[in-house]
Amino acid sequence: MKPSRFAAAVIATVLAFAAAATPAHAAGTLTMLGADVSSLQRTLDLGGKYYNASGAAANPYDILKSAGVNYARLRIWNNPASGYNNKAKVLQQAKAIKAKGLKLLIDFHYSDTWADPGKQYTPAAWANHSISQLGTDVYNYTYDVCTALKSQGTTPDSIQVGNEINVGMLWPKGQVVSNNFAPLATLLKQGYNAVKACNSATQVWVHVADADSMANMRWFYDGIKSQGVPWDVTALSYYCMWHGTLANLYNVIADARTRYGKPVVIAETAYQFTTADADSEKNSIPGTVLCDNIPATFAGQAQQFTWVQNTARNAGAVGVFYWEPTWYAIKGNGWDPANINGTGDGWDNMAIFDWNGRVNPNIRWTP
């Protein structure tokens, strides 16, 4: 007997949630076990220390590797006031990452500061450029950074052309308005071509924060596909406090994978380990905002991350990246590149290191 639409939805939800909590061996393999370590160099330069589960001081990359990490992600801003996350610092940190045998993902924001679904500020140097000129800017800048990395022996394994570009990038010229994807497509094609001209084996990711909505995910990727935009990896952000249930995540991943025929990666996720705040900067996500009744503890943080990995794996994704696991509260490593010394760290309860730099002993990245 064919179940009613409501009954079918309930069954699908139950099955998806069950898949989320099943052991790692239940489905495929996560080959990209990632960590965004974009703030790490600043912490180290300020004298910050990292300690393993035994309490011994250790190299933070070694600590991450021992927890299962095999891929590192670095954001790049064009000309940030802080002097961090720019080309020179990315080149420096890429050497440290590759020296540890980790793969490298470069996340181009195409901005002098944060780019996300709510803001995509064009770099000051490009502010008055036409969409055609911006396309050339994207190509030249992407190619320049990629070839500089390649020349020093740290060729990127993957490159994101834009960060969480739900409704476009390089606003207002590259913003999607009235369902017109043509301007954004111009930019994405130039980014893709630049990456492939630098190194044909480097994967190009297109990244949105649409893990919460099947409709939004389809709207975006259908839109760029209709404009002939090429890409290699479909990348989504998933923060449970913003993006809904694990069951919904499962369905969005599965649909994206089959609909576009490309590997899917969760490019960002995280969960809090405490309800407290380490500094004067308000936490980006309060510790009281919980998911799945999982407490804000080291054990809870590890449990939620495991569930996200299991969900992604069982839905057919190939990777999961934890966002800024090393960004614990260090004075002088604030969130605002225009006032890095004067602002604090809103992520101190979301890192996997406590306020003294000791790692969560429970957390693991699993294939």
Side-chain angles (χ1 to χ4, degrees):
M1 181 177 68
K2 184 177 181 180
S4 69
R5 183 175 300 177
F6 174 77
V10 171
I11 292 169
T13 299
V14 170
L15 290 175
F17 188 81
T22 52
H25 64 263
T29 299
L30 297 176
T31 58
M32 300 177 184
L33 306 171
D36 187 308
V37 291
S38 298
S39 68
L40 177 55
Q41 190 60 53
R42 175 75 173 179
T43 298
L44 294 173
D45 290 349
L46 290 168
K49 303 295 183 184
Y50 291 86
Y51 302 89
N52 62 25
S54 300
N59 182 293
Y61 295 112
D62 289 335
I63 297 172
L64 291 172
K65 284 183 68 176
S66 69
V69 169
N70 64 15
Y71 228 116
R73 181 188 195 228
L74 295 177
R75 66 176 166 269
I76 185 164
W77 291 327
N78 288 43
N79 188 26
S82 65
Y84 278 80
N85 302 118
N86 60 11
K87 177 184 173 182
K89 290 297 184 182
V90 165
L91 287 168
Q92 175 190 357
Q93 200 170 347
K95 287 182 178 179
I97 287 167
K98 287 286 192 172
K100 290 296 183 180
L102 298 169
K103 290 190 174 182
L104 177 64
L105 165 62
I106 302 297
D107 174 14
F108 281 85
H109 284 225
Y110 301 115
S111 182
D112 296 330
T113 187
W114 299 98
D116 57 42
K119 54 188 178 296
Q120 297 278 337
Y121 303 125
T122 298
W126 305 352
N128 298 317
H129 291 186
S130 67
I131 190 66
S132 177
Q133 289 173 306
L134 287 173
T136 301
D137 293 331
V138 167
Y139 184 97
N140 290 341
Y141 183 63
T142 306
Y143 183 80
D144 175 66
V145 173
C146 181
T147 54
L149 286 162
K150 183 178 179 180
S151 295
Q152 71 171 13
T154 59
T155 302
D157 299 279
S158 298
I159 284 178
Q160 275 184 228
V161 179
N163 184 75
E164 294 189 330
I165 56 172
N166 294 32
V167 288
M169 63 190 196
L170 293 167
W171 292 356
K173 299 290 196 328
Q175 188 169 6
V176 180
V177 179
S178 300
N179 297 313
N180 180 13
F181 281 86
L184 175 61
T186 295
L187 304 176
L188 293 177
K189 288 174 183 177
Q190 290 280 39
Y192 180 92
N193 290 340
V195 173
K196 297 303 182 180
C198 169
N199 184 57
S200 61
T202 297
Q203 292 184 311
V204 176
W205 298 20
V206 174
H207 173 213
V208 297
D210 280 337
D212 62 322
S213 169
M214 185 91 73
N216 290 343
M217 181 276 293
R218 287 183 174 183
W219 173 81
F220 179 87
Y221 289 106
D222 282 0
I224 64 170
K225 182 180 178 181
S226 71
Q227 293 290 327
V229 173
W231 77 96
D232 300 320
V233 173
T234 301
L236 306 168
S237 293
Y238 176 74
Y239 297 98
C240 61
M241 58 290 298
W242 294 329
H243 297 139
T245 65
L246 291 168
N248 185 69
L249 174 65
Y250 177 98
N251 293 330
V252 172
I253 291 172
D255 185 74
R257 180 175 59 84
T258 57
R259 190 175 183 86
Y260 306 109
K262 303 178 189 301
V264 177
V265 170
I266 300 302
E268 297 183 19
T269 193
Y271 196 70
Q272 56 268 55
F273 73 87
T274 180
T275 60
D277 189 354
D279 60 15
S280 59
E281 190 72 41
K282 183 180 178 181
N283 288 339
S284 298
I285 300 174
T288 53
V289 180
L290 305 177
C291 304
D292 305 312
N293 295 315
I294 296 175
T297 61
F298 262 170
Q301 182 185 60
Q303 179 182 348
Q304 175 66 22
F305 185 50
T306 294
W307 282 17
V308 170
Q309 290 180 87
N310 287 350
T311 301
R313 182 187 303 106
N314 292 333
V318 298
V320 174
F321 283 64
Y322 197 105
W323 195 76
E324 288 280 16
T326 60
W327 196 9
Y328 75 98
I330 295 289
K331 186 174 177 57
N333 196 8
W335 70 269
D336 186 356
N339 187 19
I340 196 169
N341 288 301
T343 53
D345 175 4
W347 210 248
D348 55 63
N349 69 322
M350 303 289 287
I352 69 163
F353 292 82
D354 67 18
W355 301 346
N356 297 310
R358 185 163 178 170
V359 72
N360 180 346
N362 307 304
I363 205 154
R364 294 289 183 274
W365 284 254
T366 54

